[in-house]
Amino acid sequence: AQRAPPEGIKIKLIQLKPHLLQRESPQLSPGGRELAVYKSKRVLVEWKFIDKEHEKELKTRVDQLAILLAHTYDESFHSLRCIGFLPKDVSYQPKDGEFTCYGLVFELLTSPKLPLSISPVIQSLSTLFVNARRPSLDERRDIALALAETTLQLHTSGWLHKGIRSDNVLFIDLGDSKWEYSSANGPFLAGYEYARPTTAHTEAMPTNLEQEMYRHPKGQGLTRVNFRRSFDLFALGCVLLEIGLWSSLREILQRVPSDSTQPIHKTKPSTVRSCKFDWARLQSAKTHLLQNEDVEKRSDLAGIAFHAGKTFQDVIVRCLYADDEDPLDEDIVVQKEVVDLLRQTQF
């Protein structure tokens, strides 16, 4: 991974000035993300809420993360460029007062010819699954490759993402660059709120059903182990599963029959809608997804080969089972294989 800046560029931390940030909405969107204007530039701000007890340590982590995201120049790193961070903003203090927050500010790729009055539309991958336009296999392969490359870049930089899921994969519609025209800017991996160096102290993440769907079973519950690279790969595999079937992970897991005898891609929509999806159902579906059996006999994963090709299926399986291949998290061989397979795939 090319992490050094081009010759002549000095790496430095950029602390931005809160009073120069013009917000478009006083409310935060899900994930603590909002559009704004900073010094006449369109920006996206991701807010990170920090427990005051650990503020000193986590503030340093925000500094390091901002430098990484500002000075990673490799073309295979598909993330919006960070232009700096905002120090704690008192206007966003939670009611209990036990947290403070910092903002990572990302520059949006916009045309200088477009006025600031034209706001970009940011869509997450999760919202596109219900969009009228369904992408081709080539487009889906490109999206998958971009996410796999970015995950590899982060890991070779010594960082864990900890939030890979479809609502943290962004596309930007602006002017004639729109998803409906197959010309949206993206994908960009976002959602760095809990990212950390691989050797740093782990930070507790919120527990909710939508996020737990993407978490490896070993990283859940009272007996969970510390987050590791293979857990990012598991989450990546879940997102690739969504891309392959072009369906949300919730719908995919809901299709797993309780007796696991019917392919998920053939489960009737009425069955999916009537199925109660709760914590017990989630754990049962994920356990079934990770059954270490011959993939050719797995009716659910075999459906991926039909919808997206055998190579795409192989990539997903490698991601989901990465922790079995490398439980000590000692290397990134699996990730390199995933990227190479996707680069070689042609439809």
Side-chain angles (χ1 to χ4, degrees):
Q2 179 187 340
R3 293 176 295 280
E7 186 176 352
I9 293 181
K10 182 180 179 181
I11 292 181
K12 62 179 181 179
L13 181 65
I14 304 173
Q15 181 169 315
L16 306 181
K17 300 177 180 179
H19 70 276
L20 295 178
L21 185 72
Q22 303 172 38
R23 298 188 186 88
E24 295 192 348
S25 171
Q27 301 295 325
L28 282 178
S29 65
R33 185 181 296 139
E34 68 170 331
L35 285 170
V37 175
Y38 187 83
K39 286 188 174 181
S40 301
K41 288 185 178 180
R42 287 282 179 190
V43 296
L44 181 71
V45 185
E46 285 193 345
W47 296 101
K48 176 177 177 62
F49 291 92
I50 293 177
D51 185 337
K52 285 189 175 181
E53 182 181 350
H54 305 290
E55 183 174 0
K56 183 177 181 181
E57 175 189 357
L58 297 180
K59 162 64 169 55
T60 300
R61 188 176 298 177
V62 172
D63 296 348
Q64 296 170 339
L65 181 59
I67 291 175
L68 174 75
L69 297 176
H71 297 288
T72 300
Y73 297 93
D74 197 291
E75 291 183 356
S76 64
F77 188 65
H78 304 271
S79 180
L80 294 170
R81 190 179 74 86
C82 181
I83 63 174
F85 80 99
L86 290 164
K88 56 185 177 182
D89 188 341
V90 294
S91 66
Y92 281 144
Q93 296 303 305
K95 293 180 181 179
D96 58 18
E98 296 299 321
F99 292 82
T100 186
C101 62
Y102 293 80
L104 290 170
V105 183
F106 298 89
E107 182 179 25
L108 292 179
L109 305 176
T110 59
S111 170
K113 297 180 181 179
L114 291 172
L116 290 177
S117 58
I118 300 179
S119 297
V121 176
I122 302 221
Q123 299 189 81
S124 68
L125 178 61
S126 59
T127 65
L128 295 179
F129 294 134
V130 295
N131 190 285
R133 188 179 79 80
R134 300 175 68 82
S136 66
L137 281 176
D138 294 289
E139 284 183 272
R140 282 184 280 158
R141 189 286 308 267
D142 290 344
I143 295 171
L145 176 59
L147 298 179
E149 288 178 332
T150 306
T151 304
L152 177 61
Q153 287 283 334
L154 281 171
H155 287 179
T156 55
S157 299
W159 280 77
L160 302 171
H161 188 282
K162 296 184 66 177
I164 298 176
R165 54 183 187 271
S166 56
D167 63 346
N168 280 331
V169 178
L170 306 182
F171 293 82
I172 303 172
D173 286 2
L174 185 67
D176 291 331
S177 298
K178 296 182 181 295
W179 174 259
E180 285 73 13
Y181 303 161
S182 305
S183 60
N185 293 308
F188 301 106
L189 184 59
Y192 293 95
E193 184 178 4
Y194 294 98
R196 66 166 174 86
T198 53
T199 56
H201 170 75
T202 194
E203 184 180 0
M205 300 191 299
T207 302
N208 66 65
L209 193 62
E210 296 303 320
Q211 295 183 18
E212 288 290 322
M213 287 190 295
Y214 297 87
R215 291 179 186 158
H216 195 285
K218 292 181 182 179
Q220 296 175 304
L222 297 177
T223 59
R224 64 181 178 273
V225 299
N226 284 344
F227 200 94
R228 51 200 188 208
R229 285 192 296 255
S230 57
F231 292 1
D232 265 345
L233 276 187
F234 176 82
L236 175 64
C238 289
V239 175
L240 299 189
L241 186 64
E242 292 179 297
I243 294 171
L245 295 175
W246 204 246
S247 179
S248 71
L249 188 59
R250 172 186 275 269
E251 291 184 343
I252 293 170
L253 294 179
Q254 278 183 290
R255 293 175 198 159
V256 177
S258 56
D259 60 3
S260 303
T261 59
Q262 184 166 318
I264 57 175
H265 64 287
K266 290 186 178 181
T267 304
K268 296 179 180 179
S270 57
T271 303
V272 174
R273 288 192 294 269
S274 62
C275 173
K276 180 182 178 182
F277 195 68
D278 54 17
W279 287 96
R281 177 86 180 154
L282 168 63
Q283 296 306 323
S284 173
K286 287 174 70 174
T287 298
H288 173 66
L289 195 65
L290 283 173
Q291 287 175 349
N292 196 3
E293 301 174 358
D294 184 352
V295 173
E296 297 301 329
K297 298 178 181 178
R298 292 284 306 281
S299 59
D300 47 6
L301 292 179
I304 294 295
F306 172 77
H307 286 277
K310 184 66 167 59
T311 300
F312 209 93
Q313 178 200 65
D314 291 344
V315 164
I316 292 171
V317 170
R318 287 171 189 246
C319 288
L320 294 178
Y321 296 154
D323 194 71
D324 294 336
E325 295 292 327
D326 183 26
L328 297 180
D329 223 22
E330 293 179 336
D331 57 48
I332 54 172
V333 172
V334 173
Q335 294 183 72
K336 291 180 178 178
E337 291 175 346
V338 164
V339 169
D340 289 341
L341 281 171
L342 288 171
R343 285 175 176 168
Q344 297 165 11
T345 302
Q346 295 183 346
F347 297 110

